[in-house]
Amino acid sequence: MFKHIFINRLKVLLRNKEVIFWTLVFPIALATFFNLSLSNMATVESFELIPIAIVENDEYDKNFSFQTAMTDVSQGEDPLFHTTLTTEEEAIKLLEDSKIDGYIILNPSVELIVKESGINQNIIKSFSDTYMQLTSSANYILSSNPRVAQDFYNSLTEWKTYTKETPLTSSEPNNLLSYFYVLIAMSCFYGSTFGNNEIMYIQANLSTLAARINIAPVHKLKIFFASMTASVLIHFAELLILLVYLVFVLNIDFGTKTGLVLLSTFIGSITGISFGAFISAFSKKDENTKTGILIGITMLCSFLAGMMYQNMKYIIARNVPLLSYLNPVNLLTDAFYSLYYYDTLKRYTLNMALLILFIAIFWAATYKLIRRRKYASI
Amino acid sequence: MIIKVSNLVKNYGDLRALDHLSLEIKEGEISGLLGPNGSGKSTAINCILSLLEYDSGEIEVFGKPMSPDAYSIKKDIGIVMQNVAVFQELTVYENIDYFCGLYVGDKNRRKNLVMEAIDFVGLEDFTKFYPKKLSGGLLRRLNIACGIAHKPRLIILDEPTVAVDPQSRNRILEGIVELNRQGATIVYTSHYMEEVERICTRITILDKGKPIATGTKEELKDMISISEKITVETSAITPEQLAKINTLECIASAQYKDDLLVVISEKGKNNITEVLNFLHSEEIAYDKVITELPTLNDVFIELTGKELRD
């Protein structure tokens, strides 16, 4: 009997285009869209050389140390500036046309001319200040104590750091990954449409089909468990397809703990399906309304977990920390990120434990709601 | 006794849907539950099937108390719902196989039963069709096949011909009679009196959750005073002549409207002769004369004072 119900349920679910769209096609499409837009964001965030101009005058021609310093910061391994050597008139014009962020004129001191304030202008200013400080120190030391000149030159190339950076992880921090982790978590919760279907199909007061099934000589919980098994199997398979797509097509890094990533996905799938079953058993609305409610709640939870605006996750964590723990989409997102970023499993275990608690609550409530065998009205 | 319902009371809040309903259905009958929409037919069926809670009363099926986990009873019941209840994602064959499989575990036996059900409802050419590709009539036939494929002893059909074309309706009604001939006891609910009159061997008329009459169609018609309705096409009756017709001994009532004289006669013989003799004696010309025997609607009107389809 279990096999008969299970196999037919697989057929029904696999042929339900609407469910397959929301639980497989839509997340893949969204992941592709994320990848396109986030790769642009990564490009935008990469450092671009700051365009500046140096006025070529007599002071510049005489100042070899400044010329050397400019060569160092304009060429080399990690250049800072894109430098144009020009006349003062031309430099003014370039600045007015916003083709450069500022220009430097030696007069004989270093003068920086900018049009507005900003990060680039601060960097140019910082460079010119440092240059002036060093040249001033060098001149003072050379004039007052020429014997230590060699030590002074050595000290310029020997930077000492008095703090030690201890990384929490061997992984590189990557904020963009959390967009994809919340996407997987959202996909897990789109599994709620499966849970909704299973309840609609077993509660005689919700559909005629369920009424017919309730009349059959089979315990309805037996039918329910066979159907739920089919739902979990299909949904988990869909999530695996999504994971494969993310890892092998979009090159999203999930770290090295593959087994735990799969376990988290499985737990996420069950949480999503259980959530859908609970909402469906709780509400007597029609199937489409329930689907709308489920998708709405999932999107809201995903938004709060940082899907549309990444900082939202941190805003919630800072201002309403309890909500972070009550949002299962956030817990799952955090679990994926913990697996990627942290070497220890402390935070991951907490997230998983809370998700399992959610599953237990959803199942207990659903059982209480669907255990009745007769209805007040149909 | 296949079904025995005693003093069944079911309330929906303040509305009493079943008011001390008692019902007995014997083996081999085609028992009709006739009543207008909202008379309690479907509620009664859902209570009998243990889908609905009820306030008081007792229900026995096959001589045993009916309950949601009475699987030994349920395995011998087939149900055809008022609304089509099939999976849109399964083909005709798969749907019948699925529902049959809830009753019959053996795969080979089930295969034969499914094919028999398909033959029975005439869906041989549509086994691989999905429900959305079927016409309304074919869909109703699929609905029936899903309910009867496991060859139940008791088949309950709740308004199975709603929104069905006349051809499919005939086929469905003939099929129900055939199922009964093969040994199944049938409970048939409808608000179409012609259908109930045509196939049911015993009829219970329901109104406001109460059974107002039970018997064969002949017994039900014998319960009322009128025996026939005589309609005469004529254009020449004066009010005085109509008044005289109303005084004739055999006449219960006479009305004249739109060139039609409609006479309801009381029980008795030669009523039509009496009416025609009067027309001859008054030299009233007439064209057609139509006589009709009383229908279940007439029974319903006389017992409740309203039309069956109100």
Side-chain angles (χ1 to χ4, degrees), chain B residues 64-75:
Chain B
K64 296 177 206 166
M66 184 60 177
S67 66
D69 50 6
Y71 300 134
S72 63
I73 296 174
K74 284 181 162 185
K75 74 180 176 53

Side-chain angles (χ1 to χ4, degrees), chain A residues 322-347:
Chain A
L322 184 64
L323 191 55
S324 296
Y325 295 106
L326 291 177
N327 179 358
V329 176
N330 181 60
L331 292 174
L332 197 54
T333 307
D334 206 57
F336 284 121
Y337 200 77
S338 304
L339 284 179
Y340 166 78
Y341 190 67
Y342 297 114
D343 288 337
T344 66
L345 293 177
K346 193 177 168 190
R347 186 162 166 167

Side-chain angles (χ1 to χ4, degrees), chain B residues 6-261:
Chain B
S6 311
N7 276 317
L8 189 61
V9 176
K10 165 71 185 170
N11 296 313
Y12 291 115
D14 294 335
L15 178 74
R16 177 151 289 189
L18 295 177
D19 191 358
H20 296 91
L21 174 71
S22 292
L23 198 64
E24 289 190 349
I25 292 164
K26 294 176 191 145
E27 184 145 26
E29 278 184 349
I30 302 182
S31 181
L33 287 182
L34 180 66
N37 290 329
S39 60
K41 303 184 297 293
S42 295
T43 300
I45 295 298
N46 287 329
C47 287
I48 290 169
L49 292 169
S50 253
L51 285 173
L52 271 181
E53 292 169 341
Y54 46 86
D55 297 276
S56 63
E58 286 174 13
I59 297 170
E60 285 184 8
V61 180
F62 305 133
K64 296 177 206 166
M66 184 60 177
S67 66
D69 50 6
Y71 300 134
S72 63
I73 296 174
K74 284 181 162 185
K75 74 180 176 53
D76 285 323
I77 300 176
I79 175 79
V80 177
M81 303 289 211
Q82 187 173 351
N83 297 320
V84 175
V86 296
F87 288 100
Q88 296 300 317
E89 299 86 357
L90 296 181
T91 64
V92 164
Y93 183 93
E94 288 168 339
N95 261 300
I96 302 170
D97 180 63
Y98 176 77
F99 288 108
C100 188
L102 297 178
Y103 296 80
V104 180
D106 183 76
K107 224 173 173 179
N108 291 328
R109 185 171 161 241
R110 191 164 78 231
K111 195 174 178 183
N112 291 332
L113 288 171
V114 171
M115 290 315 298
E116 276 181 42
I118 287 170
D119 286 345
F120 184 78
V121 296
L123 287 175
E124 301 91 333
D125 298 333
F126 304 95
T127 52
K128 289 184 179 170
F129 279 52
Y130 287 94
K132 66 181 174 189
K133 297 279 181 191
L134 300 177
S135 66
L138 294 176
L139 203 53
R140 287 275 166 187
R141 289 197 228 167
L142 170 62
N143 198 35
I144 291 173
C146 291
I148 60 148
H150 58 288
K151 288 209 182 290
R153 278 172 65 196
L154 169 64
I155 301 171
I156 298 173
L157 299 109
D158 189 7
E159 309 232 21
T161 58
V162 172
V164 169
D165 60 277
Q167 194 187 347
S168 286
R169 178 175 294 194
N170 270 334
R171 175 145 195 156
I172 289 169
L173 295 177
E174 284 164 13
I176 291 166
V177 173
E178 179 56 28
L179 286 169
N180 178 248
R181 206 173 288 139
Q182 290 173 6
T185 302
I186 310 284
V187 177
Y188 188 87
T189 80
S190 180
H191 63 273
Y192 295 130
M193 57 182 177
E194 304 86 357
E195 290 183 0
V196 173
E197 208 169 333
R198 178 172 155 188
I199 65 167
C200 293
T201 53
R202 194 171 174 79
I203 300 160
T204 298
I205 299 178
L206 288 180
D207 186 42
K208 294 179 181 171
K210 279 185 188 172
I212 54 171
T214 301
T216 64
K217 61 185 173 190
E218 291 79 14
E219 287 170 345
L220 290 174
K221 287 174 186 176
D222 274 349
M223 288 178 188
I224 60 173
S225 57
I226 62 169
S227 67
E228 64 184 327
K229 183 165 83 175
I230 303 162
T231 307
V232 182
E233 274 188 23
T234 173
S235 57
I237 290 188
T238 62
E240 293 75 25
Q241 288 168 328
L242 182 64
K244 282 183 186 174
I245 294 171
N246 266 311
T247 61
L248 292 174
E249 200 175 323
C250 61
I251 302 303
S253 70
Q255 287 182 326
Y256 181 65
K257 195 177 175 189
D258 299 332
D259 292 345
L260 287 177
L261 172 66

